């Protein structure tokens, strides 16, 4: 069972921590859909998948947000981002928008994302405070930051 804990940080950032495995007894796609349902994220929403790797979660998020939504697939490695573009094109997921970020700035549009999702990424951040500050500016008012990690974070 997944428990949800919402933390209000001093900087005005809302962080949703999920205890337990995202995919304990479900497929990854079902787990991501369940996460979005629980957080009331659906058709027309904007999701930023920060540190998206090769875009597997971004593709699932594209199905959640539908034709009217947007998925910002953010990565700091250009080669991985090129794979995201190929996967999105192959499946006709035009709502997936690649974003080449930096280690301290995801380069997302300010005030744009309803949900920012980091899966097994946070512990890799070299400048976590700077990144959290940027992410706060990238969220819509009331937007959510979801951090999933099996490692203790750098903060």
């Amino acid at each position: 069972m997944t428990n949800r804990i919402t933390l209000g940080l001093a900087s005005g950032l809302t962080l949703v921590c999920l205890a337990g495995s995202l995919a304990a007894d479900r497929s990854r796609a079902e787990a991501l859909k369940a996460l979005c349902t629980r957080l009331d994220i659906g058709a027309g929403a904007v999701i930023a998948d920060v540190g998206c790797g090769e875009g597997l979660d971004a593709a699932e998020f594209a199905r959640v947000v539908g034709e009217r939504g947007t998925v910002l697939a953010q990565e700091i490695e250009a080669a991985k981002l090129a794979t995201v573009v190929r996967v999105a094109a192959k499946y006709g997921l035009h709502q997936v928008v690649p974003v080449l970020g930096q280690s301290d700035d995801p380069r997302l549009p300010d005030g744009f994302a309803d949900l920012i999702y980091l899966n097994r990424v946070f512990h890799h951040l070299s400048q976590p405070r700077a990144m959290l500050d940027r992410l706060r500016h990238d969220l819509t008012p009331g937007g959510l930051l979801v951090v999933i990690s099996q490692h203790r974070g750098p903060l």
Side-chain angles (χ1 to χ4, degrees):
M1 178 178 198
T2 301
N3 297 319
R4 175 180 166 181
I5 303 168
T6 304
L7 304 171
L9 302 176
S11 64
L13 184 67
T14 300
L15 172 64
V16 178
C17 299
L18 299 175
S21 173
L22 242 189
D25 59 347
R26 303 177 230 180
S27 74
R28 188 171 186 90
E30 289 172 340
L32 291 173
K33 289 176 191 168
L35 171 70
C36 289
T37 298
R38 182 172 283 188
L39 298 177
D40 199 25
I41 300 291
V46 176
I47 299 174
D49 184 1
V50 174
C52 68
E54 295 180 349
L56 297 176
D57 291 348
E60 291 304 327
F61 285 135
R63 293 175 181 94
V64 169
V65 301
E67 294 290 320
R68 297 176 324 176
T70 302
V71 176
L72 301 170
Q74 187 275 348
E75 181 57 61
I76 62 171
E77 293 182 38
K80 286 184 180 179
L81 207 52
T83 300
V84 171
V85 170
R86 283 193 302 275
V87 169
K90 177 180 177 180
Y91 293 104
L93 302 173
H94 68 274
Q95 62 272 57
V96 175
V97 177
V99 177
L100 185 61
Q102 298 176 325
S103 63
D104 64 341
D105 184 352
R107 297 209 153 175
L108 302 172
D110 287 348
F112 191 63
D114 300 305
L115 170 67
I116 297 177
Y117 173 83
L118 291 88
N119 184 17
R120 298 179 183 170
V121 172
F122 192 76
H123 63 278
H124 291 292
L125 300 178
S126 61
Q127 299 178 29
R129 290 184 192 276
M131 183 64 89
L132 285 173
D133 188 49
R134 285 302 320 143
L135 294 173
R136 179 175 56 87
H137 292 288
D138 299 334
L139 286 167
T140 60
L144 298 169
L145 170 63
V146 173
V147 176
I148 299 170
S149 186
Q150 294 177 315
H151 303 282
R152 208 177 162 123
L155 294 178

